[in-house]
Amino acid sequence: MTDHPTAASDPTATPDPAPSSRPAPPPAPELFTWEFATDPYPAYAWLREHAPVHRTRLPSGVEAWLVTRYADAKQALADQRLSKNPAHHDEPEHAKGKTGIPGERKAELMTHLLNIDPPDHTRLRRLVSKAFTPRRVAEFAPRVQELTDRLIDRFAATGSADLIHDFAFPLPIYAICDLLGVPREDQDDFRDWAGMMIRHGGGPRGGVARSVKKMRGYLAELIHRKREALPDEPTPGEDLISGLIRASDHGEHLTENEAAAMAFILLFAGFETTVNLIGNGTYALLTHPDQRARLQRSLAEGRSDLLETGVEELLRYDGPVELATWRFATEPLTIGGRDIAAGDPVLVVLASADRDPERFADPDVLDLSRRDNQHLGYGHGIHYCLGAPLARLEGQTALATLLTRLPDLQLAVDSADLRWRGGLIMRGLRTLPVEFTPVR
């Protein structure tokens, strides 16, 4: 047997550096600043490498664990020991009421899908899932196209627009209102309330809470009116609120608070994710002209394959939801080698997981034809986003129509002048000024 020399016996070997002489890792990045909001991805790369499960104090004062690697994120999203119910949060006095949507507690809107676990979650999700079947979403496609064209018609002749305010924001609001059964004459009120939520999402919670209260009052009144007018037999394509009322009147044990909370969270979660998908997606295409040109050629040839994979890539590359909504440990557990205590909040960083080089080749490169793309943009497990099929339809319709009708669309400002909305869960632009050749 031949002996292999060791560093101690081989004078030519280079000894390992002493611990004190090893290069220190770069300093930890500062999180949740305005600079971080503009481009959080370098900070997430640092966390994945040096502190993949990281305890931090959030701007609200709440201390929580951030899970940043793909494998750990997928595990955490499916772990039933991480509850969605805020009752499991061992919250200190200074953090009370700061782990959910502002105003939802006072407005009695807590019993929605983002705050409950099985078996209640299973029961409520089953009731509402009927509105998001592939067949129902496909039936809704002409309405989404009609809304898309109508909104573009309003600014096409001007040669400029703010694509957030004029397009990405109103499209999903009107679409989800139609799906829920909010009368057309009331939908502008919802647009105003939703606008207040977006404008104040990263700032004072009072503005959001007031909008939530107004929305709660309206939904209670609408549920009452629909219950009084509901025919004995269901009608084809019955709106979602009527379906929820009918279920509660036929033994499904859906309380009025549950019906109102369900309608509320579908509005709240169902519009801002799509606003950001359209806004972030358009911005990514405008700043990656080669990928945008590929997509436009594909659309001109009447092919939809690149549009479909492209929207999935945009969801991965710079998706609308930065962090998954709150989870709370119901018992001690371990994630990524770190011990999580019972009662601790856990936030899965979807934006980081979807840029993990251990899972995605060239994760910082936008490739609209990427095939192996099981991103976590809409979550994973039993809380996978219920409205994902509708959001995909709206995103595909919006982007395809914009690039086809306004082929020379371009940014009207430098990228450095754009501002991203502050906030914890969502990731989206405040404005997206664009210019193009007027279309008359």
Side-chain angles (χ1 to χ4, degrees):
M1 185 174 74
T2 303
D3 290 333
H4 293 279
T6 64
S9 62
D10 181 4
T12 65
T14 302
D16 289 336
S20 60
S21 65
R22 290 173 183 161
E30 191 173 359
L31 305 178
F32 308 117
T33 64
W34 288 111
E35 292 77 14
F36 169 85
T38 299
D39 182 10
Y41 296 104
Y44 289 147
W46 189 97
L47 289 174
R48 283 194 306 269
E49 183 174 355
H50 301 287
V53 180
H54 175 63
R55 187 173 176 89
T56 189
R57 181 181 291 272
L58 305 172
S60 64
V62 177
E63 291 193 2
W65 294 93
L66 302 180
V67 179
T68 59
R69 287 180 180 168
Y70 183 93
D72 295 334
K74 197 168 182 180
Q75 172 203 329
L77 291 171
D79 195 325
Q80 295 189 16
R81 296 170 298 174
L82 292 175
S83 169
K84 299 291 289 177
N85 189 339
H88 291 289
H89 182 200
D90 186 18
E91 55 185 352
E93 189 63 35
H94 72 272
K96 287 192 180 299
K98 294 183 178 180
T99 58
I101 300 169
E104 64 178 357
R105 295 192 189 198
K106 288 185 179 179
E108 298 182 331
L109 289 171
M110 291 290 289
T111 52
H112 57 68
L113 291 173
L114 297 186
N115 284 341
I116 57 175
D117 304 312
D120 285 334
H121 177 271
T122 307
R123 172 176 61 90
L124 293 179
R125 188 178 176 101
R126 185 182 69 249
L127 288 175
V128 77
S129 64
K130 299 168 187 174
F132 297 100
T133 62
R135 181 179 65 83
R136 186 74 185 274
V137 170
E139 290 171 349
F140 201 56
R143 175 58 177 159
V144 173
Q145 185 66 64
E146 177 191 344
L147 286 168
T148 300
D149 284 323
R150 191 179 78 193
L151 290 167
I152 293 176
D153 287 343
R154 292 179 180 177
F155 58 77
T158 66
S160 64
D162 171 6
L163 280 188
I164 302 299
H165 181 270
D166 298 327
F167 184 64
F169 174 66
L171 174 59
I173 279 288
Y174 293 139
I176 198 70
C177 280
D178 279 355
L179 195 69
L180 285 168
V182 176
R184 299 277 172 90
E185 62 269 19
D186 295 341
Q187 291 184 7
D188 283 338
D189 288 335
F190 271 91
R191 178 174 174 164
D192 291 342
W193 298 330
M196 181 69 73
M197 292 177 184
I198 280 188
R199 284 193 298 274
H200 293 286
R205 295 168 66 90
V208 181
R210 284 191 294 274
S211 295
V212 168
K213 184 177 180 180
K214 290 177 181 178
M215 196 175 284
R216 172 65 173 91
Y218 174 85
L219 288 171
E221 180 187 347
L222 181 62
I223 289 169
H224 177 74
R225 291 202 323 257
K226 283 183 176 289
R227 176 173 273 125
E228 292 293 314
L230 208 61
D232 292 335
E233 297 297 327
T235 57
E238 187 169 69
D239 68 73
L240 183 51
I241 289 179
S242 295
L244 292 173
I245 294 168
R246 194 181 294 282
S248 65
D249 288 346
H250 288 77
E252 288 281 3
H253 310 298
L254 190 71
T255 68
E256 182 177 299
N257 274 352
E258 286 175 334
M262 182 69 75
F264 164 74
I265 202 58
L266 288 172
L267 277 161
F268 187 86
F271 85 88
E272 191 171 2
T273 52
T274 310
V275 174
N276 295 347
L277 168 57
I278 297 170
N280 298 5
T282 303
Y283 174 66
L285 291 173
L286 294 179
T287 52
H288 293 79
D290 58 330
Q291 296 296 306
R292 177 250 190 91
R294 289 180 66 197
L295 181 54
Q296 285 181 304
R297 285 195 300 270
S298 174
L299 294 170
E301 294 167 0
R303 295 189 291 113
S304 62
D305 55 329
L306 193 63
L307 176 65
E308 292 168 2
T309 59
V311 166
E312 298 310 304
E313 174 69 345
L314 293 169
L315 284 163
R316 183 202 68 83
Y317 180 77
D318 198 10
V321 183
E322 190 165 340
L323 283 73
T325 50
W326 296 85
R327 284 164 168 78
F328 308 95
T330 59
E331 60 183 80
L333 69 151
T334 301
I335 303 175
R338 298 300 302 269
D339 294 330
I340 312 294
D344 279 0
V346 174
L347 290 164
V348 177
V349 188
L350 305 179
S352 176
D354 283 343
R355 295 275 191 113
D356 188 344
E358 293 296 316
R359 175 59 185 82
F360 299 99
D362 299 320
D364 296 322
V365 172
L366 180 69
D367 177 7
L368 298 186
S369 60
R370 188 185 295 267
R371 294 289 177 180
D372 181 19
N373 194 3
Q374 294 184 10
H375 62 78
L376 300 176
Y378 284 123
H380 173 68
I382 64 170
H383 291 283
Y384 182 84
C385 177
L386 192 62
L390 178 60
R392 286 187 168 100
L393 169 66
E394 292 172 339
Q396 290 176 14
T397 304
L399 293 172
T401 308
L402 271 177
L403 293 179
T404 301
R405 293 190 57 184
L406 308 175
D408 61 349
L409 188 74
Q410 60 183 353
L411 283 174
V413 297
D414 290 334
S415 291
D417 294 330
L418 294 174
R419 293 292 177 266
W420 295 78
R421 291 193 301 275
L424 192 63
I425 302 299
M426 300 292 185
R427 173 164 172 78
L429 287 160
R430 289 174 176 265
T431 61
L432 185 56
V434 295
E435 54 192 13
F436 46 87
T437 301
V439 179
R440 303 192 186 280

